[in-house]
Amino acid sequence: MPLRFYNTLSRSLEEFVPIEPGTARVYACGPTVYQLPHIGNYRTFLFNDLLHRYLDWKGFRVKFVMNLTDVDDKTILGASRQGVSLDTFTEPVIRGFFQDLDTLGVRRAHVYPRATRHIDEMIDIIRRLIERGHAYVADGSVYYDISSFPGYGKLSRVELAEVRRGERVAADEYEKSDIRDFALWKAAKEIDREVGAVWSTPWGEGRPGWHIECSAMSMAELGETFDIHTGGEDLAFPHHEDEIAQSEGATGKPFVRYWLHVKHLLVEGEKMSKSKGNVFSLLDLRERGFRPAAIRYLLLSAHYRHELNFTFDGLEDAQAALRRLVDFLERLERTHVADDAPTSSLGDLARTVIHAFEEALDDDLNVPNALAALFTFVREANAALDRCPTVPPADRQAALDALHRIDAVLNFIGLARADARAVDPDLAAWVERRLADRQDARARRDFATADAIRAELAAAGVIVEDTPQGPRWKLGS
Ligand code: AMP
Ligand code: ZN
């Protein structure tokens, strides 16, 4: 079975046929860097990680781009409230975002373009849109004339009401009930000047609208037509609808082949909102003692187009499921092998699970089915090992290989193990202190003390290696 995606544009499952055979070019709408993303955002970002890893697994040459929205209504307001420049305001948020990605075991995209670094490309698209009769200047701002683009509404299936034509909306985010000409470029306001979010253009000073940013960054990185564009379901209208109108209006070419949208995460059955106090960050969950791998597991465990209701009970269950996977891997690693052991069913089970896993993910990235196959494998392989604890080396290797291949996509076990090995910062500080004491002792030629400290560290499981650059250390396994 070939790889299929549900394409929002056609409202149907379609075989994935990339523009250039063997290459997949993907653009994901990234975070608006005015505050650290919440776990709902991370549902969408982890979906992107799954897509990235699975395209890789299938053998595509992947170029994966995720933008950072560092200039929009929210970032400008945030910078102004803190009385700092836009860059100063967004810098720590961007840093925190990358830390969160590492914590959640997300493979890095190939590029993370920042909107503020692509203003020239935005201006160029707007210039082309004006030339081609899709945009007009009004009071120093530039608006997209939606009546000039017959395809407007094809993604989100919104209906253009005649009465709205010629009316304008300047906000970055607006409702379906508010379909109007939208801002490509916004004339500079006092608040924009205050935070340094002002650029010169043929139409005067100002700053870009949010939608033009993604048209410019995606086409700059991936070309005028590319394969896949993703985002949360809320972005289909107006953001992605407007991106299509801008890009296709400027180039006269199709913009994107496949549009993938992730359903929003609920928390304890409710929409996340500040007023309900149910907006959790990654740190909030970690402070409650939940491991990153369990959070990754929970956020990826539902199909991306189905509802996922985040609950603390669900997180406990994810932690238990993960434990089962890690226990199984450890059991396999400890399993005795003998060349003359009777052939076990592990080899067959390994082939079956890889086949079922691929079939599930080929079907529009159906993670629940992939997990069902994985846990069937764990159950049956455990039963086989109960019956016959010593197996031929090739059987054990086949089971290990299957588990590792699957985890190259899911990264549940890998992340759980990396987390278990992660060094407690208090321990690290103590080790550094004792190593400094040891260096002092050596400088005094007090080798007895130096050796005693080394023994003390070894007793704590710390392995010290002396290098020309000074001592290095790691925790023994
Ligand atoms: P933003 O930082 O608001 O631009 O959002 C970043 C990404 O997270 C976008 O793709 C949003 O559609 C997505 N997103 C926002 N809220 C949720 C949610 N509750 N569940 C899943 N994805 C979300
Ligand atoms: Zn976007």
Side-chain angles (χ1 to χ4, degrees):
M1 280 286 238
L3 175 58
R4 281 152 294 143
F5 294 126
Y6 181 87
N7 188 352
T8 308
L9 199 55
S10 65
R11 301 285 196 277
S12 64
L13 271 185
E14 289 180 35
E15 181 178 343
F16 176 59
V17 183
I19 296 161
E20 184 185 327
T23 298
R25 298 192 173 85
V26 191
Y27 183 86
C29 285
T32 306
V33 288
Y34 73 112
Q35 63 182 23
L36 268 185
H38 53 61
I39 54 170
N41 301 132
Y42 282 119
R43 177 182 198 193
T44 293
F45 299 146
L46 283 170
F47 162 76
N48 282 304
D49 186 41
L50 176 75
L51 175 65
H52 183 174
R53 286 169 179 268
Y54 194 59
L55 287 168
D56 237 23
W57 199 83
K58 292 289 282 185
F60 290 98
R61 280 183 306 277
V62 186
K63 178 154 185 199
F64 209 101
V65 180
M66 178 180 278
N67 78 291
L68 303 173
T69 303
D70 64 350
V71 49
D72 81 320
D73 295 350
K74 291 181 197 156
T75 44
I76 290 174
L77 188 63
S80 161
R81 284 198 177 134
Q82 283 188 12
V84 296
S85 73
L86 199 57
D87 268 6
T88 306
F89 175 71
T90 56
E91 202 267 335
V93 184
I94 293 172
R95 217 173 337 110
F97 170 64
F98 284 118
Q99 265 167 20
D100 279 2
L101 291 186
D102 289 346
T103 301
L104 287 172
V106 172
R107 181 179 296 178
R108 289 288 166 97
H110 298 97
V111 223
Y112 291 91
R114 292 175 59 167
T116 49
R117 312 303 194 253
H118 286 271
I119 303 287
D120 286 349
E121 288 99 321
M122 296 171 205
I123 294 173
D124 189 52
I125 296 173
I126 298 172
R127 191 184 48 72
R128 284 150 80 188
L129 286 171
I130 294 174
E131 275 169 20
R132 295 173 69 115
H134 288 298
Y136 58 91
V137 181
D139 305 328
S141 294
V142 186
Y143 288 89
Y144 193 99
D145 172 8
I146 53 175
S147 70
S148 74
F149 185 70
Y152 195 83
K154 65 181 169 184
L155 179 71
S156 57
R157 312 252 165 122
V158 292
E159 297 284 342
L160 271 195
E162 287 293 328
V163 288
R164 290 286 192 194
R165 289 190 175 170
E167 288 187 27
R168 299 193 288 265
V169 51
D172 281 337
E173 291 175 83
Y174 53 94
E175 300 296 318
K176 282 192 180 167
S177 56
D178 213 14
I179 307 166
R180 304 191 210 184
D181 290 354
F182 60 89
L184 297 166
W185 190 263
K186 305 185 191 192
K189 293 202 286 277
E190 195 40 49
I191 188 171
D192 304 327
R193 294 189 193 284
E194 221 179 83
V195 303
V198 180
W199 292 267
S200 302
T201 73
W203 324 286
E205 292 193 322
R207 50 113 173 171
W210 171 36
H211 315 301
I212 194 71
E213 297 177 2
C214 281
S215 280
M217 287 184 274
S218 59
M219 293 197 293
E221 294 294 347
L222 299 170
E224 292 181 341
T225 303
F226 57 92
D227 299 304
I228 303 176
H229 195 313
T230 75
E233 59 177 350
D234 58 317
L235 299 191
F237 184 86
H239 187 53
H240 294 159
E241 196 68 65
D242 292 351
E243 275 186 54
I244 294 173
Q246 295 163 157
S247 300
E248 299 192 351
T251 67
K253 297 180 193 156
F255 177 43
V256 168
R257 304 275 288 261
Y258 303 86
W259 288 90
L260 274 52
H261 289 104
V262 182
K263 205 169 167 76
H264 268 193
L265 180 75
L266 300 177
V267 169
E268 305 281 354
E270 298 201 79
K271 216 178 133 149
M272 264 191 271
S273 77
K274 284 214 176 94
S275 57
K276 291 196 193 103
N278 63 356
V279 183
F280 295 110
S281 69
L282 191 54
L283 191 63
D284 291 333
L285 300 184
R286 298 194 68 199
E287 280 174 359
R288 291 176 187 224
F290 291 103
R291 319 297 314 184
I295 301 168
R296 179 179 173 97
Y297 185 101
L298 178 60
L299 291 177
L300 277 176
S301 60
H303 189 280
Y304 74 94
R305 286 189 295 110
H306 292 182
E307 193 163 287
L308 172 55
N309 182 25
F310 174 90
T311 64
F312 285 98
D313 285 348
L315 204 44
E316 301 275 1
D317 292 346
Q319 219 142 256
L322 207 59
R323 185 73 252 156
R324 221 170 128 63
L325 293 177
V326 174
D327 285 350
F328 175 59
L329 174 63
E330 287 174 355
R331 180 177 193 184
L332 276 179
E333 286 170 341
R334 287 193 314 266
T335 294
H336 289 291
V337 290
D339 286 329
D340 57 355
T343 301
S344 74
S345 57
L346 288 186
D348 280 344
L349 291 172
R351 274 185 292 282
T352 305
V353 70
I354 288 292
H355 181 74
F357 177 79
E358 182 164 9
E359 202 164 56
L361 291 192
D362 276 353
D363 181 17
D364 194 29
L365 300 171
N366 192 324
V367 175
N369 283 357
L371 287 178
L374 177 58
F375 281 102
T376 300
F377 172 60
V378 172
R379 193 178 59 246
E380 293 182 356
N382 269 325
L385 290 172
D386 290 344
R387 281 193 303 274
C388 195
T390 301
V391 298
D395 285 7
R396 188 183 79 134
Q397 198 54 47
L400 281 170
D401 288 348
L403 211 50
H404 286 131
R405 273 199 80 195
I406 288 172
D407 208 54
V409 178
L410 299 177
N411 194 22
F412 293 157
I413 300 175
L415 186 61
R417 288 197 142 185
D419 183 37
R421 280 196 304 269
V423 178
D424 173 340
D426 290 340
L427 173 68
W430 174 77
V431 173
E432 295 293 342
R433 235 176 14 250
R434 294 306 278 153
L435 282 176
D437 295 344
R438 177 167 160 268
Q439 292 300 88
D440 288 347
R442 286 172 145 197
R444 294 193 306 270
R445 308 190 67 75
D446 177 2
F447 296 112
T449 303
D451 287 346
I453 292 174
R454 191 185 185 109
E456 181 190 356
L457 288 167
V462 178
I463 299 163
V464 180
E465 186 195 352
D466 287 303
T467 75
Q469 290 79 37
R472 294 232 184 93
W473 65 275
K474 63 178 182 184
L475 287 183
S477 49

